Amino acid sequence: MSYVFIVGAKSDIAKEVARVYAKNGYNLYLSARDTSELEELATDIQVRSGVEVKLVELDVTKYKTHEKIYEDLEEKPLGVIYVAGFMADQDEAQEDWSKSLNTINVNYTGAVSFLNIVANDFEKQRRGFIVGVSSVAGDRGRKTNYIYGSAKAAFSTYLSGMRNRLHEAGVSVLTVKPGFVATKMTEGLDLPEKLTAQPQEVADDIFSAQQSGHNTLYTKWMWRYIMLIIKHIPEFIFKKMSI
Amino acid sequence: MSLNSWGMYPQIDNKKITLKTPKQIKAFIDANKEIIPYGNGRSYGDSALNTNIIYTKPYNSFLSFDDKKGILHIQTGVLLSEIIESYLPRGWFLKVTPGTKLITIGGAIASDIHGKNHHVEGCFSECVEEFKLQLPSGEIKSCKKGDELFLATCGGMGLTGVILDAKISLKKVSSQFINQTTIKTKNLQETFEAFEEYKELPYSVAWIDCLASGENIGKCLLMVGDFCDDGKLKYKEKNRLNIPFNFPSFALNNLSVRAFNWLYYNKAPNGVSKQKVGIDSFFYPLDSIKNWNRIYGKNGFTQYQFILPKEKSYDGLKEILQTISGSGKGSFLAVLKLYGKANKNYLSFPKEGYSLALDFKIEDGVFELLDALDKIVLKYEGRIYLTKDVRVSKDTFETGYEDIEIFRNLRKKYKMDEKFNSVQSKRLGL
Ligand SMILES: Cc1cc2nc3c(=O)[nH]c(=O)nc-3n(C[C@H](O)[C@H](O)[C@H](O)COP(=O)(O)OP(=O)(O)OC[C@H]3O[C@@H](n4cnc5c(N)ncnc54)[C@H](O)[C@@H]3O)c2cc1C
């Protein structure tokens, strides 16, 4: 059975994505900077689903290593899912350049570096799928998190261009835009219940959108309409707002 | 956002911490006094509620499986549904399962749940080989069958500490289908006779029309069965219907209950009939409707479940069914079940006899009716199931459970009573 490669497998969303693909019979490459943190998940998935799980050490910000890591994979994956993400607090990122840079690198530059390699391979093989987990925060810059948002905006644009390019080769590209998700990152925040997705819901949505070849996925679905409205608020009003 | 239990009554403001590591739970225990573990909130009453809650469901890794012995090692938040999904296709099933698969391993142990096969397999604790328990001191103990902490924790409603992970044994099956026989009876006498006649079969349960009166008291559909032997293990859950909001309270009045019972009872053929059904419809008919608890409206509901010793069951049930049908307050479902012998756990519910479970919407007059039912239960030497309870009095409760003092003393010995408490344990002085 084919392998799916998950970049940034440590997060709550990634863990559920990995479980869903395994449940549906895919073998997995799980990657993170420190793979010892993935051992429990790998065991979990093997005991649950009986698929093959391999761990790959990958730091998305160490661009020079990417080519070799991909080449060394014994079996090339059928799909790659980029879940790695980093959200620095806006105030801290404003003050501290290293935080801004890390936000940009994890959410955007690292993705471009790794996915370029993947895209070239998939295009040559004329098969495969790429999924990028971006964010609704990239749909419009807001004062409360525009550094993170702008990196996600760049990532979304990158994915849409790649979709355009790879379509002809029969390679699908899915852009995922989660709204609020109940994860470690958001624990303690008071999020509106109806708009907050569970990681498992997000993962199920991703699996079915990817399998049916969709282009963009908002999860939960209401976010598509919420962001549609937010995107269309005229700038002269928007700049006075605090949302 | 506060966590509720399945009955949505009472609603208690609470702060929750998600179980990630035992170390972080120790800090939480040290910092707080009133704590109770919470699984998936499928208990109906107030046993998983308090001002501080340890939310265990996300602590849900599978750790290992021994396929020679069929022993699965999992963390406490794993749902029974996850085990079925992973292992039924490989020919393994739970030895004991309740009427919903959406409960955690922690909840299954803490309530020492029982299934339709109690008369054959006993409670969930029978298939628990060992588990790890985090005590109020933060210390983690391995508990094995026979240990006092095992006897107290199985059925102990989260009052002995946090169950972290468990080894449970699964059983081999060769199909995801059940050969079911449905027997339609006309009254309680026939119902009892049918239970006896079919007791060799491992699974049995009866749906009683508890609004029937006079001659027809105790008429039921008895469903019995066992796994097929057809090798068909491909298992996929059906899509679920969702009830997206609370029904207005007038939606579930006496009339709609009557209509439901009438339909349910009449759709089955008379006498004895046979069907082949999937495990979901046999074991978990209610799970196919997500959030069905919302049909009772926003005031919530409660389930009243009691058990009577076998020799007193007939008279006791008759009196109880008469009282209910006389009150006009009806239950959407009333489930009657025959049980085998009691185990040694201090607070486990089952004992040899018959148990009835009924749902009641929270409304005026309900608690008075249930108090009246309590008296009958005591008169016939029965007891009440803690995981469904939200209102029983301390006296009524104590009378039913002989080992209650052993449980209390053990709580004191380990200082559990100073940390682990629920709204229920305080009401009952557990
Ligand atoms: C439709 C339906 C059908 C049912 N059918 C049956 C049936 O046939 N037989 C039966 O016996 N029960 C039945 N039940 C009741 C249900 O099985 C129990 O209430 C079960 O304990 C719920 O598990 P949970 O994970 O949701 O736990 P919760 O409801 O969250 O908690 C239940 C109890 O377990 C404790 N607990 C939970 N996790 C832990 C942990 N990790 N460590 C220590 N304590 C813990 C809590 O403190 C609480 O006291 C049914 C419930 C429903 C909704």
Side-chain angles (χ1 to χ4, degrees), chain B residues 252-265:
Chain B
L252 198 83
N253 55 23
N254 194 345
L255 205 67
S256 54
V257 174
R258 262 180 215 285
F260 175 82
N261 283 352
W262 189 84
L263 274 173
Y264 199 88
Y265 189 76

Side-chain angles (χ1 to χ4, degrees), chain B residues 8-79:
Chain B
M8 300 195 293
Y9 173 87
Q11 314 231 337
I12 306 289
D13 278 337
N14 50 56
K15 188 171 95 215
K16 73 164 192 210
I17 179 175
T18 301
L19 172 55
K20 282 186 208 115
T21 61
K23 204 166 134 204
Q24 144 258 16
I25 290 302
K26 176 169 180 357
F28 190 71
I29 297 173
D30 288 343
N32 290 288
K33 257 193 132 166
E34 300 283 335
I35 311 169
I36 194 75
Y38 182 104
N40 200 30
R42 246 57 181 190
S43 55
Y44 285 69
D46 48 6
S47 68
L49 300 178
N50 206 338
T51 45
N52 293 300
I53 277 173
I54 300 177
Y55 182 50
T56 59
K57 191 177 148 199
Y59 193 69
N60 67 352
S61 287
F62 282 51
L63 303 172
S64 68
F65 182 62
D66 175 341
D67 59 3
K68 299 222 171 54
K69 297 195 186 122
I71 293 179
L72 178 65
H73 187 196
I74 58 259
Q75 288 180 340
T76 188
V78 169
L79 296 175

Side-chain angles (χ1 to χ4, degrees), chain B residues 125-188:
Chain B
S125 53
E126 296 297 323
C127 72
V128 178
E129 302 299 319
E130 62 176 284
F131 57 80
K132 288 208 183 69
L133 181 71
Q134 188 166 24
L135 297 170
S137 62
E139 189 196 343
I140 296 170
K141 280 234 182 213
S142 265
C143 308
K144 291 207 174 65
K145 277 205 162 71
D147 296 351
E148 62 171 4
L149 283 172
F150 189 98
L151 296 170
T153 302
C154 298
M157 306 312 295
L159 297 169
T160 58
V162 191
I163 304 158
L164 295 172
D165 55 63
K167 287 187 179 156
I168 64 165
S169 52
L170 303 178
K171 70 170 188 182
K172 270 263 170 228
V173 294
S174 51
S175 174
Q176 66 113 337
F177 291 100
I178 304 283
N179 280 325
Q180 172 181 287
T181 304
T182 305
I183 305 107
K184 195 168 178 174
T185 70
K186 291 200 188 64
N187 54 40
L188 197 59

Side-chain angles (χ1 to χ4, degrees), chain B residues 110-126:
Chain B
S111 293
D112 201 11
I113 52 131
H114 56 264
K116 292 183 162 81
N117 55 351
H118 184 273
H119 59 292
V120 190
E121 298 266 11
C123 287
F124 195 77
S125 53
E126 296 297 323

